[in-house]
Amino acid sequence: MTPDSPPALLVLHAVRITGFADTPVLAHRYGLSTAETKEVLLDAEACGWVEHTAFAGTGGWSLTGSGRAENERQLAAELARVDGADEVGDVYRAFLPLNALLLRACTDWQLRPTAGDRLAVNDHSDPAWDARILHELADIDRALRPLADRLGSVLTRFRGYDTRFTAALARARAGDGSWVDRTDVDSCHRVWFELHEDLIATLGLDRHAEP
């Protein structure tokens, strides 16, 4: 049976991979109750691992520097306990080429260079251009599934990235292109960003030191 992660780890990790979110969003990320999530967050706040800030009518939790270190310590201990470092490392190496393709696809979704402006915004008036990008995302979607299966066999908390990506892509292909790259919905780009952050946090890597 694939091991489950403890709630205290999941809540702190949810803050890490979402970047900034309020209690209900963090609770939903791993299917925890809002009350339990709030209790863990308050304990983490007392330890100096998270902080709550509010601005422009919204509020949310984010990790402090010590919270980031604690999250990585917990993740490393968990990975060692399940002897999953080799498998997750292999998946990460297979992920990197797909990551380059995903970043290029999202850039092409946002920009469509012209003869006079290589940074011209994509106004989505060229169906062939957009169709090509959606086809590329479909290729990435298919390649992600076996990697997600491998991760899910290591730890339960890794499950769901592939189904979330597929769902976002289906919405985009049905006509709502915002599901390719919006940051305030579970878009292809958001799901991918979370997976990337999950992998580097779990392996204790630096995103900026990637090849």
Side-chain angles (χ1 to χ4, degrees), residues 58-69:
T58 63
W61 298 91
S62 58
L63 283 186
T64 62
S66 62
R68 185 182 181 91

Side-chain angles (χ1 to χ4, degrees), residues 148-161:
D149 286 344
R150 292 173 63 187
L151 289 173
S153 71
V154 175
L155 287 165
T156 302
R157 67 173 176 81
F158 277 123
R159 293 177 179 170
Y161 283 111

Side-chain angles (χ1 to χ4, degrees), residues 25-190:
V25 174
L26 297 172
H28 176 73
R29 181 62 184 79
Y30 289 112
L32 303 173
S33 73
T34 302
E36 180 179 30
T37 300
K38 182 177 181 180
E39 182 178 349
V40 172
L41 287 167
L42 291 176
D43 288 344
E45 184 180 37
C47 292
W49 297 338
V50 298
E51 58 186 5
H52 190 274
T53 55
F55 57 91
T58 63
W61 298 91
S62 58
L63 283 186
T64 62
S66 62
R68 185 182 181 91
E70 174 61 18
N71 175 236
E72 292 181 358
R73 185 198 68 77
Q74 293 179 4
L75 295 176
E78 178 183 59
L79 196 61
R81 188 167 61 251
V82 301
D83 193 25
D86 287 345
E87 182 72 349
V88 176
D90 284 346
V91 169
Y92 172 72
R93 285 184 286 274
F95 167 88
L96 286 176
L98 296 177
N99 187 56
L101 295 176
L102 186 283
L103 292 177
R104 187 182 69 187
C106 286
T107 298
D108 287 348
W109 191 256
Q110 296 165 352
L111 302 175
R112 185 165 65 88
T114 65
D117 185 1
R118 64 184 184 87
L119 297 178
V121 172
N122 181 14
D123 61 6
H124 304 289
S125 61
D126 184 344
W129 179 273
D130 285 0
R132 174 185 60 81
I133 299 166
L134 292 174
H135 181 76
E136 292 171 354
L137 290 172
D139 288 341
I140 294 170
D141 181 39
R142 283 188 290 272
L144 173 61
R145 294 172 196 170
L147 299 183
D149 286 344
R150 292 173 63 187
L151 289 173
S153 71
V154 175
L155 287 165
T156 302
R157 67 173 176 81
F158 277 123
R159 293 177 179 170
Y161 283 111
D162 54 338
T163 55
R164 291 167 60 202
F165 191 93
T166 298
L169 180 57
R171 285 177 176 263
R173 298 182 84 171
D176 189 348
S178 65
W179 282 82
V180 170
D181 60 350
R182 270 177 63 183
T183 59
D184 59 342
V185 297
D186 219 24
S187 66
C188 294
H189 182 268
R190 182 185 177 97

